[in-house]
C-alpha cells in the first residue's frame, strides 16, 4: 500500500515535477491524504487540541523491530534524543520540566511511543493503541515500565536532572568554542571554586576495524567505568557489524553483552595518546591525570597492545 | 541583418558586473553573452563542492582568479557528520594547478585540507594572494610553513576556527624577510606559541597590515610591542588578556591602544582579567565590531566596556552579560545590527546566569537597526517573540537556541508556534531562521505561509509529522538549505516534494523517520539529486526497506554521485 502512495507522490506521469507537487496540494485527494494521515496518527482524544508532541507519523507501516532494538543498544551518547522518537521521549520531558511527578502527568501525552514502530520494545500495534487511548489517565504509567531499555539509558536524566545532556551536537556549539571554554576552568585559579563540571573536552576515539572515528567529551565522565561503558555503547555497532558479516544473526539482546565480553575479555584494549605522544593503557593513572593528558584514544586489538603496560607504569611513577 | 556589440564592448560592460547572481543572469541571455561572460568571469562561489566537478568548472570558466568552495554540511560543526565523510579539497587543487596558474584567491569552508594540498597551492600559483580556511581541518603547521615560505605575494592568511595539527609555532619563521605584503593574518585557532620575535618582525615589515588576530598563546605583555609596530591596524584579536596587575604593563598597553586610531574591530580576550579592560577604552569610540564571546567576565565589567562603544554594530558576547547588560546595550548602542549571545555553561540543566527572553526583547526595542540575532537562552515566551517580531520587522537572520529541547512557553505552557509564527509574519525579509523550543506542525504552517524570502532553515526536535515538512517544502519559495534533526518527518512529505529538492542546494535530515525505501525511490527518480544515506549499522539494504535511515543528505548536482564516499555513506543511485 505504501508503494502505491509513493507512486502518486513522485508523479510518474508526464506532468512536470513542479506541477505535480502543486497538483498534489490542490488535489483534494492528495491533501486529504496528507491530512488524513496526520489525523490518523495524531494522539490524544478526538477534538482535543493536542499541542503535545506526537511522534507516530513515520511509523505507519514500518516494522522497525530490528532497528528499534539496535537503536537502543547503540543509543548511549549519540541517540539520546532520537530515542524520543522511538518512545523514550518521556525522559526529556521530565528533565526539561524539572523531573517532578506533576510533570509526568502533564507530559504524559508527550512520550507515547510511536505507533507501530519500535516493535522490539512494545508488544505490537494494539498495545500502542492502548497507550494512545490511555492518555490523561493514570494508566499511562504503564508506558513507563514497558520500555526497559531506553529507561535504562535515560536513568541519569531522571535521577539527576542537573546532569549534562548526552546528545550529540546539542546545544549547537562548535567544537572550537567548547574546547576553548573547557580550558577556562580549573586551570584558572580565580575561578577554581566556581565552575566545576562545565565545559567539555573532546578527544577523538578510533577503533581498529571501525569505519570512522568518534569524538567523546571526557568531561562527561568521572570514572573510567563511565567512560568505558559509554565507549562500549558507541562502538558496539561496529563489533556487531563484524558478527553480522559472518552470517550470525546480530539483532538480539545478547549483542551488547557480547561486546562487553569482547572488551572485558582479551580481544580489545583501550589505549590513549598522552601529551608526550606516548601510547598508554587507559586506567593506569588517576582519572584527573588521565583527562589532563589524554589527547586521543584508540581501541586496539590486544594483540597489538603488548608492551604498553610496563611503560605506563614507569610514566606514572616518574610523574609521581 | 543582426547588429551586435563587438565582444570587446560586451566584455567591458560585463567588467562592471560583479555579483554571482548578476553574472549568472547575464550568462543566460544568449549564446554570445554566455561566451563573453564565461571568459571574463574571474570569481566564483561554489556552495557545495559536490554539486559540480573541477572539470566542469574549468571547462566553463577558463580564467578564474578567485575560487570559494564549501564542503561539509553545516551540521558538521556540531559533530553530526562522521570523520572521513568527504570534502577533500585536493582534487580541486590538483585540477586548478594545471588550469589556473594565475589563481590568486582560495576561500574554503568546512573542507578537508591536507598539508599536501597546502604545499601544492604554495608551489602552483605564482601570484597567490589570499587563503581563507574557515572551519577546515586535516592540515598541520607544516602545511602553513609551505604557504609562508613559497607564496611571495601573500596578502591574507586566515585560519578562522580551523582544526590544525599544531606542532609548533616555528612555521611563522618561514615567512621570508622579503615578505611585506601581508594585509590580514588570523591565527587565533592555533594552540601553540608562535615565535614572538618572528611575529613582531613580520608585523613590523608589513605596512599594509590591517587585520591581526592572535592566538591565545600570545601573552598580554607582548601586545603593546605588536601594536606599536602596527598602529594602522583596523582589526585586532588579542591573545590571552590576562597578566598580573602591573601599572607599567597597563600603561604600556593603554598607550598602544590609544595609538591605534584606526581600530574598528576587537576580538580575542581569552582569560580576561577585568583590571586590564580599561586599557582598550581609548579605542572604544571607533569600535564597530566586538567579539567578547570567549571573555569570561561578568556583567558589570561587560557593561562598562560595551557602553563605551557607541558606534557598535556587531557584538558577540557570552550570556554573562545578562538581561541587565543587554538593557545597557540597548540604551547605548543605537547602531547595533548584529547580536550573538553564547552560553557560558551549555550543559548545565539549570541556568547559571540571569539571561532570559527579556534581554533580547530589550535589544529589539532599543536598537532599530538590529537585523541579525543568534541567542542562546533557557526560557522563552510567545509574547516575547511577538514583541521582537513587531519591534524588528527588518530582521533578516534569527537564530534562537533554547537550550533544553522542546521547552514550552514558560508562562502559558504552550508551544512556541505562535511566537515563531509572528517572526515569519512580520519579518518579511527573513533569510535565515533557526527554531527551538516546543513546536508543533503549526509553526511550519506559518513558515510555509509567510517565510517567502527564507533561504536557510534549521530545525531540531520539532513538529508532529510529515505535514510540517510538507508546509516548508511546498511553501518556502526561496528555500536553499534545510537542515533537520530529530524530527518525526517521514517519507510522504519528502516524496511529495521531490521536485522542490532540485531547486535547493541541500537537505539534511538526521534521526528522523525517512525510510530506506523512500531514499532509494528518490535516488532513482531524481537523476540530478545525489541522495546519500549515512548509516553506522552497516549496509542499509541489509535491513527491511521500511527501516529509517540514520542520516540523509540530499543535494542537487550536475556531477553525478561522488566517487569518494567512505564506507558508511551510500548513494541511492548504485544500490538497487
Amino acid at each position: 500500500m505504501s508503494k502505491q502512495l509513493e507512486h502518486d507522490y513522485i508523479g510518474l506521469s508526464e506532468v512536470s515535477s513542479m506541477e505535480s507537487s502543486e497538483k498534489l496540494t490542490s488535489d483534494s485527494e492528495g491533501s486529504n491524504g496528507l491530512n488524513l494521515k496526520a489525523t490518523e496518527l495524531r494522539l490524544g482524544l478526538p477534538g482535543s487540541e493536542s499541542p503535545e508532541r506526537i511522534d507516530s507519523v513515520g511509523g505507519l507501516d514500518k516494522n522497525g523491530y530490528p532497528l528499534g532494538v539496535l537503536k537502543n543498544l547503540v543509543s548511549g551518547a549519540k541517540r539520546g534524543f532520537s530515542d524520543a522518537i522511538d518512545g523514550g521521549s518521556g525522559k526529556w520531558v521530565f528533565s526539561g520540566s524539572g523531573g517532578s511527578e506533576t510533570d509526568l502527568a502533564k507530559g504524559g501525552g508527550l512520550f507515547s511511543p510511536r505507533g507501530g514502530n519500535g516493535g522490539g520494545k512494545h508488544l505490537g500495534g494494539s498495545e500502542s493503541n492502548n497507550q494512545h487511548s490511555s492518555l490523561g489517565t493514570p494508566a499511562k504509567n504503564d508506558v513507563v515500565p514497558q520500555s526497559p531499555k531506553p529507561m535504562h539509558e535515560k536513568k541519569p536524566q531522571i535521577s539527576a536532572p542537573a546532569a549534562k545532556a548526552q546528545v550529540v551536537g546539542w546545544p549547537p556549539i562548535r567544537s572550537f568554542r567548547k574546547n576553548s571554554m573547557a580550558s577556562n576552568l580549573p586551570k584558572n585559579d580565580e575561578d577554581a571554586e566556581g565552575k566545576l563540571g562545565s565545559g567539555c573536552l573532546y578527544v577523538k576515539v578510533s577503533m581498529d576495524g571501525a569505519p570512522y572515528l568518534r569524538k567523546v567529551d571526557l568531561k562527561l565522565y568521572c570514572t573510567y567505568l563511565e567512560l568505558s561503558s559509554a565507549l562500549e555503547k558507541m562502538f558496539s555497532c561496529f563489533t556487531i557489524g563484524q558478527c553480522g558479516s559472518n552470517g550470525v544473526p546480530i539483532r538480539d539482546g545478547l549483542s551488547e553483552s557480547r561486546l562487553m565480553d569482547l572488551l572485558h575479555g582479551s580481544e580489545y584494549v583501550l589505549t590513549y595518546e598522552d601529551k608526550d605522544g606516548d601510547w598508554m593503557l587507559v586506567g593506569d593513572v588517576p582519572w584527573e591525570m588521565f583527562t589532563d593528558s589524554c589527547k586521543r584514544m584508540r581501541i586496539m586489538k590486544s594483540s597489538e597492545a603488548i608492551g604498553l603496560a610496563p611503560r605506563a607504569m614507569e610514566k606514572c611513577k616518574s610523574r609521581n | 541583418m543582426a547588429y551586435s556589440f563587438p565582444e570587446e564592448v560586451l566584455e567591458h560592460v560585463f567588467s562592471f558586473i560583479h555579483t554571482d547572481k548578476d553574472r549568472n543572469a547575464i550568462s543566460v541571455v544568449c549564446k554570445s553573452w554566455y561566451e563573453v561572460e564565461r571568459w571574463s568571469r574571474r570569481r566564483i562561489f561554489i556552495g557545495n563542492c559536490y554539486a559540480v566537478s573541477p572539470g566542469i568548472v574549468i571547462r566553463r570558466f577558463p580564467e578564474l582568479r578567485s575560487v570559494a568552495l564549501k564542503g561539509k554540511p553545516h551540521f558538521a560543526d556540531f559533530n553530526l557528520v562522521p570523520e572521513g565523510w568527504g570534502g577533500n579539497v585536493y582534487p580541486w587543487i590538483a585540477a586548478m594547478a594545471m588550469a589556473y596558474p594565475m589563481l590568486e584567491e582560495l576561500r574554503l569552508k568546512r573542507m578537508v585540507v591536507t598539508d599536501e594540498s597546502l604545499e601544492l597551492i604554495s608551489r602552483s600559483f605564482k601570484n597567490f594572494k589570499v587563503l581563507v580556511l574557515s572551519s577546515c581541518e586535516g592540515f598541520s603547521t607544516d602545511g602553513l610553513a609551505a604557504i609562508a615560505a613559497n607564496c611571495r605575494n601573500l596578502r591574507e592568511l586566515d585560519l578562522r576556527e580551523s582544526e590544525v595539527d599544531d606542532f609548533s609555532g616555528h612555521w611563522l619563521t618561514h615567512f621570508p624577510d622579503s615578505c611585506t605584503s601581508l594585509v590580514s593574518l588570523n591565527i587565533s585557532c592555533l594552540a601553540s606559541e608562535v615565535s614572538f620575535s618572528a611575529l613582531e618582525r613580520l608585523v613590523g615589515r608589513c605596512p599594509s597590515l590591517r587585520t591581526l588576530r592572535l592566538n591565545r598563546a600570545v601573552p598580554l605583555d607582548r601586545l603593546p610591542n605588536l601594536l606599536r609596530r602596527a598602529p594602522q591596524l583596523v582589526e585586532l584579536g588579542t591573545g590571552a588578556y590576562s597578566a598580573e596587575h602591573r601599572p607599567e604593563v597597563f600603561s604600556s598597553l593603554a598607550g598602544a591602544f590609544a595609538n591605534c586610531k584606526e581600530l574598528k574591530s576587537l576580538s580575542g580576550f581569552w582569560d580576561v582579567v577585568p583590571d586590564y579592560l580599561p586599557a582598550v577604552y581609548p579605542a572604544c569610540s571607533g569600535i564597530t565590531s566586538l567579539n567578547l564571546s570567549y571573555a569570561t567576565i561578568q556583567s558589570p565589567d561587560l557593561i562598562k566596556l560595551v557602553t563605551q562603544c557607541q558606534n557598535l554594530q556587531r557584538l558577540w558576547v557570552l550570556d554573562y552579560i545578562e538581561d541587565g547588560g543587554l538593557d545597557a546595550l540597548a540604551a547605548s548602542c543605537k547602531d547595533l545590527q548584529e547580536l550573538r549571545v553564547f552560553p557560558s555553561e551549555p550543559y548545565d540543566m539549570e541556568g547559571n546566569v540571569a539571561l532570559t527572553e527579556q534581554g533580547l526583547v530589550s535589544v529589539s526595542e532599543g536598537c532599530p537597526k538590529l537585523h541579525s540575532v543568534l541567542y542562546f537562552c533557557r526560557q522563552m515566551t510567545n509574547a516575547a517573540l511577538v514583541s521582537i517580531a513587531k519591534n524588528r520587522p527588518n530582521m533578516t537572520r534569527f537564530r534562537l537556541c533554547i537550550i533544553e529541547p522542546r521547552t514550552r512557553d514558560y508562562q502559558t505552557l504552550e508551544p512556541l508556534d505562535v511566537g515563531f509564527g509572528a517572526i515569519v509574519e512580520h519579518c518579511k525579509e527573513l533569510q535565515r531562521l533557526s527554531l527551538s523550543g516546543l513546536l508543533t506542525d503549526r509553526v511550519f504552517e506559518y513558515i510555509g505561509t509567510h517565510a517567502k524570502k527564507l533561504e536557510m532553515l534549521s530545525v531540531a526536535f520539532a513538529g508532529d509529522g510529515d505535514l510540517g515538512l510538507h508546509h516548508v517544502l511546498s511553501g518556502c519559495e526561496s528555500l536553499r538549505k534545510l537542515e533537520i534533526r530529530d524530527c518525526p518527518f517521514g517519507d510522504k512529505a519528502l516524496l511529495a516534494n521531490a521536485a522542490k529538492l532540485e531547486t535547493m542546494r541541500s537537505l539534511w535530515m538526521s534521526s528522523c523517520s525517512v525510510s530506506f525505501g523512500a531514499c532509494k525511490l528518490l535516488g532513482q527518480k531524481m537523476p540530478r539529486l545525489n541522495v546519500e544515506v549515512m548509516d553506522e549499522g552497516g549496509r542499509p539494504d541489509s535491513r527491511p526497506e521500511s527501516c529509517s535511515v540514520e542520516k540523509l543528505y540530499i543535494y542537487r548536482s550536475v556531477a553525478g554521485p561522488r566517487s569518494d564516499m567512505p564506507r558508511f555513506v551510500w548513494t541511492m543511485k548504485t544500490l538497487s
Side-chain angles (χ1 to χ4, degrees):
Chain A
M1 180 175 133
S2 65
K3 278 225 163 25
Q4 216 171 355
L5 284 173
E6 284 160 3
H7 277 214
D8 286 344
Y9 293 144
I10 279 287
L12 291 180
S13 65
E14 289 69 31
V15 178
S16 86
S17 33
M18 278 308 286
E19 281 176 42
S20 67
S21 59
E22 283 165 20
K23 196 171 145 200
L24 186 65
T25 51
S26 58
D27 176 38
S28 58
E29 175 73 62
S31 54
N32 276 350
L34 282 167
N35 281 334
L36 273 177
K37 291 295 163 260
T39 318
E40 256 171 42
L41 303 161
R42 206 166 264 274
L43 300 179
L45 304 172
S48 69
E49 256 265 298
S50 180
E52 298 91 348
R53 213 184 76 69
I54 51 190
D55 49 2
S56 43
V57 174
L60 249 192
D61 42 349
K62 269 190 272 262
N63 180 10
Y65 172 72
L67 192 61
V69 171
L70 183 63
K71 270 184 182 174
N72 289 330
L73 293 179
V74 179
S75 277
K78 201 163 184 224
R79 317 270 308 185
F81 277 102
S82 64
D83 268 274
I85 298 169
D86 287 343
S89 62
K91 316 305 175 308
W92 300 114
V93 175
F94 299 153
S95 54
S97 346
S100 64
E101 273 305 310
T102 47
D103 293 316
L104 173 59
K106 257 185 256 170
L110 274 160
F111 72 95
S112 299
R114 190 198 307 187
N117 197 17
K121 300 189 289 288
H122 318 292
L123 298 179
S126 57
E127 181 112 45
S128 311
N129 288 337
N130 286 342
Q131 292 160 3
H132 296 188
S133 59
S134 72
L135 276 185
T137 72
K140 72 178 145 320
N141 288 326
D142 290 339
V143 181
V144 173
Q146 267 159 9
S147 321
K149 276 222 153 74
M151 289 298 276
H152 224 45
E153 283 146 27
K154 299 304 187 302
K155 237 190 193 173
Q157 269 65 40
I158 291 189
S159 55
K164 281 185 262 243
Q166 298 195 23
V167 185
V168 171
W170 191 268
I173 300 172
R174 294 191 180 186
S175 311
F176 180 73
R177 180 169 297 280
K178 281 192 273 212
N179 289 340
S180 291
M181 278 153 49
S183 326
N184 280 340
L185 303 165
K187 319 246 155 83
N188 185 346
D189 288 337
E190 294 179 17
D191 296 331
E193 298 312 321
K195 299 182 188 145
L196 286 171
S198 55
C200 63
L201 193 60
Y202 273 80
V203 297
K204 296 184 183 179
V205 187
S206 61
M207 177 169 175
D208 290 353
Y212 57 88
L213 303 175
R214 305 280 204 168
K215 280 185 192 165
V216 67
D217 175 7
L218 288 183
K219 293 253 190 269
L220 287 181
Y221 315 106
C222 306
T223 64
Y224 283 116
L225 191 57
E226 284 176 22
L227 173 65
S228 93
S229 54
L231 290 177
E232 277 157 23
K233 289 204 185 86
M234 247 185 240
F235 286 93
S236 60
C237 53
F238 302 131
T239 313
I240 288 172
Q242 288 171 15
C243 297
S245 62
N246 293 334
V248 175
I250 54 181
R251 310 292 195 253
D252 56 34
L254 296 176
S255 310
E256 184 171 344
S257 55
R258 164 107 206 230
L259 169 69
M260 287 169 73
D261 286 343
L262 288 174
L263 288 186
H264 290 150
S266 50
E267 277 214 35
Y268 288 95
V269 290
L270 185 56
T271 64
Y272 73 102
E273 183 182 9
D274 72 359
K275 281 183 183 154
D276 304 331
D278 296 323
W279 284 92
M280 322 261 283
L281 281 179
V282 168
D284 289 340
V285 302
W287 175 256
E288 282 74 24
M289 196 186 288
F290 166 69
T291 53
D292 266 348
S293 59
C294 174
K295 270 179 27 185
R296 59 180 148 155
M297 291 191 276
R298 181 175 156 204
I299 302 173
M300 62 167 83
K301 296 214 157 86
S302 13
S303 47
E304 293 196 24
I306 295 168
L308 279 182
R311 282 163 62 204
M313 295 314 284
E314 282 166 22
K315 268 221 159 167
C316 195
K317 283 179 197 152
S318 67
R319 282 221 176 91
N320 293 340
Chain B
M1 200 169 8
Y3 294 94
S4 56
F5 283 134
E7 281 190 5
E8 295 80 11
V9 178
L10 273 181
E11 203 178 317
H12 182 68
V13 172
F14 290 177
S15 70
F16 295 100
I17 299 174
H18 302 296
T19 69
D20 292 327
K21 228 173 135 208
D22 291 341
R23 280 258 161 190
N24 292 343
I26 65 180
S27 72
V28 294
V29 165
C30 65
K31 282 208 168 107
S32 71
W33 282 36
Y34 176 89
E35 282 298 307
V36 176
E37 194 284 316
R38 79 180 185 91
W39 281 94
S40 62
R41 193 172 316 204
R42 297 285 173 266
R43 172 180 297 272
I44 196 162
F45 167 75
I46 298 166
N48 175 6
C49 65
Y50 290 119
V52 72
S53 71
I56 293 174
V57 174
I58 291 169
R59 250 195 323 275
R60 179 169 172 190
F61 299 114
E63 301 278 342
L64 292 179
R65 298 272 186 275
S66 166
V67 174
L69 280 168
K70 288 189 178 181
K72 299 184 204 172
H74 174 237
F75 273 174
D77 284 352
F78 316 127
N79 291 335
L80 287 176
V81 176
E83 306 267 337
W85 175 85
N88 195 333
V89 78
Y90 189 81
W92 287 88
I93 309 295
M96 291 193 293
M98 311 292 288
Y100 301 135
M102 301 311 296
L103 189 75
E104 295 177 5
E105 305 182 352
L106 205 49
R107 293 178 171 82
L108 307 176
K109 187 165 185 179
R110 274 185 225 108
M111 296 201 76
V112 174
V113 182
T114 56
D115 284 343
E116 209 186 0
S117 295
L118 291 176
E119 278 151 24
L120 190 55
I121 290 169
S122 76
R123 286 185 279 113
S124 309
F125 308 117
K126 297 300 162 214
N127 206 21
F128 197 70
K129 295 191 172 121
V130 172
L131 184 63
V132 178
L133 301 176
S134 178
S135 303
C136 294
E137 54 162 357
F139 61 101
S140 77
T141 43
D142 290 349
L144 294 178
I147 296 286
N150 300 329
C151 299
R152 299 290 150 121
N153 295 313
L154 195 67
R155 292 218 195 119
E156 278 185 50
L157 179 60
D158 186 340
L159 305 176
R160 52 181 85 156
E161 294 183 336
S162 290
E163 223 176 276
V164 185
D165 260 336
D166 201 339
F167 298 142
S168 80
H170 194 65
W171 67 276
L172 202 76
T173 60
H174 287 255
F175 278 109
D177 289 339
S178 54
C179 171
T180 58
S181 50
L182 270 187
V183 171
S184 168
L185 181 64
N186 178 355
I187 54 170
S188 54
C189 63
L190 296 182
S192 64
E193 257 182 29
V194 288
S195 155
F196 296 135
S197 51
L199 181 60
E200 279 173 20
R201 284 197 310 273
L202 180 63
V203 166
R205 64 176 182 268
C206 294
S208 307
L209 191 71
R210 4 169 316 142
T211 300
L212 179 63
R213 307 261 190 216
L214 303 168
N215 63 341
R216 197 172 184 167
V218 177
L220 192 56
D221 54 17
R222 287 281 175 175
L223 194 53
N225 276 347
L226 285 164
L227 289 181
R228 264 186 266 282
R229 281 170 168 73
Q232 76 283 3
L233 273 184
V234 176
E235 301 182 326
L236 171 71
T238 73
Y241 204 80
S242 68
E244 285 165 17
H245 191 87
R246 297 198 322 260
E248 70 275 14
V249 174
F250 181 88
S251 57
S252 178
L253 191 60
F257 270 114
N259 209 26
C260 293
K261 309 227 187 281
E262 310 292 325
L263 268 184
K264 290 205 160 42
S265 165
L266 284 178
S267 64
F269 296 106
W270 284 285
D271 312 314
V272 179
V273 165
D275 289 344
Y276 275 101
L277 278 177
V280 311
Y281 287 176
C284 282
S285 57
I287 296 294
T288 57
S289 168
L290 193 51
N291 182 353
L292 296 169
S293 62
Y294 297 102
T296 50
I297 45 174
Q298 303 303 315
S299 188
D301 296 308
L302 285 167
I303 292 175
K304 275 196 220 125
L305 178 56
V306 159
T307 48
Q308 303 232 6
C309 304
Q310 312 270 344
N311 289 314
L312 201 60
Q313 293 172 15
R314 175 193 302 163
L315 176 65
W316 293 20
V317 72
L318 286 171
D319 55 8
Y320 291 129
I321 195 165
E322 300 189 336
D323 287 346
L326 292 175
D327 287 341
L329 177 71
S332 316
C333 304
K334 295 304 185 184
D335 270 353
L336 194 70
Q337 296 177 23
E338 176 180 330
L339 174 67
R340 296 195 190 191
V341 178
F342 295 94
S344 51
E345 309 220 354
Y347 304 105
D348 244 348
M349 284 305 172
E350 291 126 27
N352 56 317
V353 291
L355 179 102
T356 70
E357 76 282 4
Q358 193 44 52
L360 187 55
V361 172
S362 292
V363 181
S364 76
E365 274 165 15
C367 302
K369 299 188 190 167
L370 184 73
H371 67 86
S372 173
V373 168
L374 170 62
Y375 199 76
F376 283 81
C377 60
R378 286 188 164 81
Q379 64 183 53
M380 186 53 59
T381 63
N382 283 310
L385 286 171
V386 171
S387 289
I388 293 164
K390 289 184 172 164
N391 289 338
R392 296 274 60 80
N394 53 326
M395 191 74 71
T396 59
R397 298 168 126 68
F398 190 75
R399 296 153 73 187
L400 180 67
C401 180
I402 304 167
I403 290 180
E404 181 64 26
R406 300 196 190 94
T407 301
R408 296 168 180 269
D409 176 326
Y410 73 92
Q411 283 175 349
T412 65
L413 298 182
E414 288 182 353
L416 292 172
D417 299 333
V418 166
F420 280 106
I423 294 281
V424 293
E425 192 185 338
H426 291 274
C427 307
K428 303 203 192 303
E429 302 300 314
L430 197 69
Q431 289 171 16
R432 184 165 180 184
L433 178 63
S434 300
L435 305 173
S436 58
L438 182 67
L439 297 164
T440 73
D441 279 347
R442 269 176 83 198
V443 74
F444 299 110
E445 199 180 336
Y446 294 138
I447 292 173
T449 306
H450 294 286
K452 296 305 181 187
K453 300 270 180 76
L454 193 66
E455 297 181 10
M456 181 167 178
L457 179 64
S458 308
V459 186
F461 309 108
D464 308 316
D466 277 282
L467 205 50
L469 180 57
H470 176 68
H471 284 307
V472 171
L473 289 177
S474 56
C476 295
E477 293 160 5
S478 309
L479 197 64
R480 291 187 300 113
K481 290 179 278 184
L482 180 56
E483 47 186 24
I484 301 172
R485 62 163 296 176
D486 294 275
C487 296
F489 298 146
D491 300 342
K492 293 169 198 44
L494 202 56
L495 296 174
N497 293 282
K500 171 73 173 176
L501 299 177
E502 266 189 23
T503 68
M504 293 164 53
R505 181 188 297 174
S506 66
L507 167 65
W508 168 281
M509 292 179 74
S510 58
S511 305
C512 297
S513 311
V514 179
S515 73
F516 176 61
C519 295
K520 269 180 31 180
L521 192 59
L522 208 52
Q524 285 155 12
K525 297 298 173 205
M526 307 294 294
R528 286 181 304 192
L529 288 182
N530 279 356
V531 180
E532 291 179 9
V533 166
M534 269 175 262
D535 225 315
E536 59 179 313
R539 284 180 68 95
D541 59 359
S542 62
R543 292 187 293 280
E545 285 207 351
S546 52
C547 283
S548 297
V549 299
E550 196 184 273
K551 293 173 183 167
L552 173 62
Y553 185 50
I554 301 175
Y555 56 92
R556 65 180 175 188
S557 176
V558 295
R562 55 184 176 116
S563 54
D564 63 348
M565 283 175 294
R567 279 158 55 186
F568 53 90
V569 176
W570 288 272
T571 178
M572 296 295 102
K573 299 231 189 309
T574 53
L575 277 178
S576 55

